Amino acid sequence: MSIVQAQNLSHQYGSYQALDNVSFEIQEGQCFALLGPNGAGKTTFVKIMLGLQNPKSGSLNLFDQKAGIAEARAQIGYLPEKFSFYPYYKVKDTLEFHAAVSGISKSQSGSEIELAMQKLKITELANKKLSNLSKGQLQRVGIASLLLGNKRLLILDEPFSGLDPIGIKDLKDLLRELKKSNITLFINSHILSEVEPLCDHFGILNRGQLLVVGEKNQLLKGKSLEDYFSEIVQ
Amino acid sequence: MNNRAFFLLTWNTVQKELRSKSFYMVIAITIGMLVIGYSIMQAFREQIQVEGGPQMLGNGQLFWIYYAFINAWSVFLALLFGLGCVRSDISSNVIGQLLAFPINRTWYLISRVLGSWLLVGFYQLLSFLLTAVLFFDAIKEIPVTAMILAPMISLLPTLAAVILGLFVSLWVGKAPGMILTGLAAMGGSWARSVFADAENAFANLSLLKVVGLILWIVIPRFAAPHSIVQNFAETANTEIAWVDISQFGVATVMIFIITNFVFKRRGF
């Protein structure tokens, strides 16, 4: 089943072309990486997926519904590059808030929050305020919030940013585990070395144009992602 | 959006404002001004009575002056909260995360307005209670209906002010927004004094007059609902200003509809 369907998607900010006629599909259970240098249009694509931006032309469907509608967003988990929330909220309150606005019942949310905190090794931070957390700890809270509810698609915008080596390893393990449970992963990144072992499909965006898209092994043909990327972008 | 999420978002609005020092400052200033003003008035009155001077205002009349003062401050506070309730989410980048959830944007706006309004309502109630304590003797002279209506009617202009502040905050920050809404409110008040009794408001149009007419039509007439309380208070032969009240209601609803329309199409 097609989870993401982009057709001739274009978007401009004034005269700047952020996305130019982008078309591709992501199937259920895939781990898809959208790669590109800074300013390539990756974040704009994510914003359209989340309904935070309306495209100027073209269409983007999630789960066969128009991206942005509440029914589609209910099935998405989103981790921004810099997870930020109200600094006076405690970790547990933050996760409770995320569970509530995701539509998870109060009776169900308690156990889910406990489990998510255990998986991300932040149980001892439960009663700490977000303002007292390090960047890496904050990112872990953001990742924990993704595990709440039955999400079918996880959108991770530069997920490795701000994490220490142990944090990166933990996140990679977690993403592998999620992949096994048939959750579709959409990773937006420019740290190619971290993304390469995880993704099975990728696309490269540059100046709003989708240069390549497809299955990783078919595209790379034995090359490293880093070499292939610089070849394509240059 | 489910009820729990709506309640959490509304409560979150209250929490955000409770953390801002401006709320406590305004409460402290209000209490200070009410108590000091009352003490000065009483001392002044005793002085005049001793020297056989002219008759001062009675406590009943002073009560209504305090009522007007509280309402003016409440509108200011409501504008301040209205300007910040969504703007703070935008400036802290939390809005993208919030709107990525299955939250309906209209309900998000309503929760922000409701939270800010609840807080201003609490401030008003506190101020009225303090005024009632200060003028305890005079309360007996005031009709019961007016006493009950006064705090309830006062909530209407503050709701309109929160919505107006929210509308302005979609384009400008808190400080310029405060200046802009302050100017608009003063302009609206000036326009009201000019056009309310004008035989032909559209005669001899000049640029200034056109601006005044626009303000007169567009800005909710915050003072209009108070004519109901004044009518029941019998302090003066005040007619209920139904035309102005209708303008107040329609303008407030229209501002919310436009705010919602713009917000739903805004990219974050």
Side-chain angles (χ1 to χ4, degrees):
Chain A
M1 185 202 173
S2 194
I3 295 286
V4 180
Q5 279 177 306
Q7 275 191 325
N8 306 319
L9 199 66
S10 294
H11 191 74
Q12 295 111 33
Y13 297 107
S15 60
Y16 180 74
Q17 190 77 34
L19 288 174
D20 189 6
N21 231 18
V22 172
S23 300
F24 67 90
E25 284 190 17
I26 301 173
Q27 302 300 319
E28 187 159 28
Q30 283 184 358
C31 176
F32 184 92
L34 189 61
L35 311 169
N38 290 333
K42 304 188 298 289
T43 302
T44 302
F45 189 85
V46 166
K47 283 184 175 182
I48 294 172
M49 281 175 103
L50 296 167
L52 299 175
Q53 285 282 359
N54 289 319
K56 291 279 187 268
S57 64
S59 67
L60 181 64
N61 286 352
L62 304 177
F63 320 104
D64 291 328
Q65 292 164 313
K66 191 179 172 231
I69 65 165
E71 286 79 9
R73 277 182 288 146
Q75 301 176 67
I76 297 174
Y78 166 57
L79 179 72
E81 183 179 357
K82 284 176 191 158
F83 177 80
S84 59
F85 206 63
Y86 304 105
Y88 46 88
Y89 267 58
K90 289 177 183 168
V91 170
K92 206 172 176 182
D93 298 337
T94 305
L95 295 175
E96 270 170 12
F97 187 98
H98 279 65
V101 291
S102 298
I104 303 166
S105 68
K106 204 170 183 181
S107 57
Q108 198 189 336
S109 67
S111 56
E112 283 201 26
I113 289 167
E114 283 302 320
L115 196 67
M117 287 198 297
Q118 276 171 22
K119 276 192 177 174
L120 270 298
K121 298 170 186 164
I122 52 169
T123 309
E124 71 279 10
L125 303 176
N127 291 314
K128 267 197 165 185
K129 283 184 181 173
L130 297 187
S131 57
N132 296 328
L133 301 186
S134 70
K135 204 176 162 191
Q137 287 172 328
L138 206 56
Q139 200 69 354
R140 280 172 183 263
V141 177
I143 298 162
S145 72
L146 294 179
L147 305 179
L148 306 171
N150 298 315
K151 307 275 172 32
R152 289 173 70 194
L153 169 65
L154 298 187
I155 300 171
L156 303 110
D157 195 358
E158 303 289 356
F160 304 104
S161 149
L163 290 177
D164 58 21
I166 295 169
I168 290 174
K169 190 199 166 292
D170 286 348
L171 178 58
K172 278 184 184 171
D173 290 345
L174 180 70
L175 293 178
R176 280 194 192 99
E177 198 184 308
L178 290 168
K179 239 175 102 173
K180 278 181 201 161
S181 51
N182 210 35
I183 290 173
T184 309
L185 301 174
F186 181 95
I187 304 173
N188 202 355
S189 181
H190 62 257
I191 309 175
L192 306 178
S193 57
E194 305 298 355
V195 170
E196 188 174 359
L198 277 171
C199 70
D200 41 52
H201 288 74
F202 70 86
I204 297 178
L205 263 180
N206 193 24
R207 291 176 193 158
Q209 291 189 323
L210 189 66
L211 303 179
V212 288
V213 66
E215 207 259 307
K216 182 175 75 176
N217 294 332
Q218 279 181 4
L219 291 171
L220 295 182
K221 289 177 185 145
K223 288 178 193 168
S224 74
L225 183 57
E226 227 164 44
D227 289 341
Y228 183 78
F229 180 84
S230 56
E231 200 178 281
I232 291 289
V233 171
Q234 283 168 8
Chain B
M1 192 164 71
N2 60 56
N3 292 343
R4 192 165 151 241
F6 180 73
F7 171 78
L8 267 175
L9 271 174
T10 307
W11 178 237
N12 170 258
T13 316
V14 175
Q15 280 179 311
K16 276 201 300 179
E17 298 301 348
L18 278 177
R19 298 195 59 79
S20 101
K21 290 181 185 76
S22 53
F23 180 68
Y24 299 103
M25 256 176 62
V26 171
I27 285 190
I29 291 170
T30 308
I31 293 172
M33 285 172 85
L34 291 181
V35 174
I36 293 167
Y38 179 80
S39 309
I40 291 171
M41 279 292 189
Q42 295 304 329
F44 200 49
R45 178 182 285 143
E46 280 166 23
Q47 190 69 26
I48 284 174
Q49 276 170 357
V50 168
E51 291 170 7
Q55 188 63 43
M56 285 285 290
L57 289 172
N59 265 348
Q61 286 158 306
L62 270 178
F63 177 87
W64 292 114
I65 291 172
Y66 269 54
Y67 171 72
F69 166 78
I70 293 164
N71 287 327
W73 262 106
S74 303
V75 167
F76 168 78
L77 195 65
L79 276 173
L80 201 71
F81 287 170
L83 282 162
C85 64
V86 169
R87 192 85 196 172
S88 60
D89 283 346
I90 297 172
S91 55
S92 61
N93 289 325
V94 173
I95 193 133
Q97 276 169 248
L98 285 177
L99 297 180
F101 287 114
I103 292 174
N104 179 303
R105 287 195 184 197
T106 304
W107 283 107
Y108 165 79
L109 282 185
I110 292 172
S111 70
R112 290 305 188 220
V113 168
L114 189 64
S116 303
W117 189 38
L118 280 173
L119 209 54
V120 183
F122 168 74
Y123 159 81
Q124 282 180 307
L125 193 68
L126 202 73
S127 305
F128 285 136
L129 282 174
L130 181 64
T131 307
V133 170
L134 290 174
F135 294 97
F136 190 71
D137 292 340
I139 286 174
K140 284 171 271 175
E141 301 164 19
I142 298 166
V144 180
T145 324
M147 277 298 292
I148 296 168
L149 277 176
M152 285 160 70
I153 293 286
S154 295
L155 290 171
L156 298 175
T158 51
L159 175 63
V162 170
I163 293 171
L164 182 65
L166 174 61
F167 172 76
V168 173
S169 78
L170 292 183
W171 288 278
V172 293
K174 215 168 184 174
M178 206 64 224
I179 295 167
L180 207 67
T181 45
L183 286 174
M186 280 196 288
S189 161
W190 162 77
R192 188 170 181 241
S193 66
V194 172
F195 297 116
D197 300 320
E199 278 183 18
N200 185 3
F202 297 96
N204 304 320
L205 286 179
S206 63
L207 183 66
L208 193 67
K209 205 171 172 186
V210 170
V211 172
L213 270 170
I214 292 169
L215 291 174
W216 188 48
I217 294 164
V218 168
I219 302 287
R221 292 166 202 167
F222 293 114
H226 297 305
S227 66
I228 299 171
V229 181
Q230 284 169 333
N231 181 271
F232 280 99
E234 296 163 6
T235 49
N237 291 328
T238 313
E239 293 282 315
I240 297 177
W242 290 116
V243 175
D244 288 341
I245 291 170
S246 306
Q247 187 278 345
F248 169 83
V250 172
T252 304
V253 170
M254 285 310 292
I255 291 171
F256 183 77
I257 289 171
I258 296 167
T259 306
N260 185 41
F261 181 82
V262 173
F263 188 72
K264 281 183 109 166
R265 279 150 191 81
R266 179 70 62 91
F268 294 102

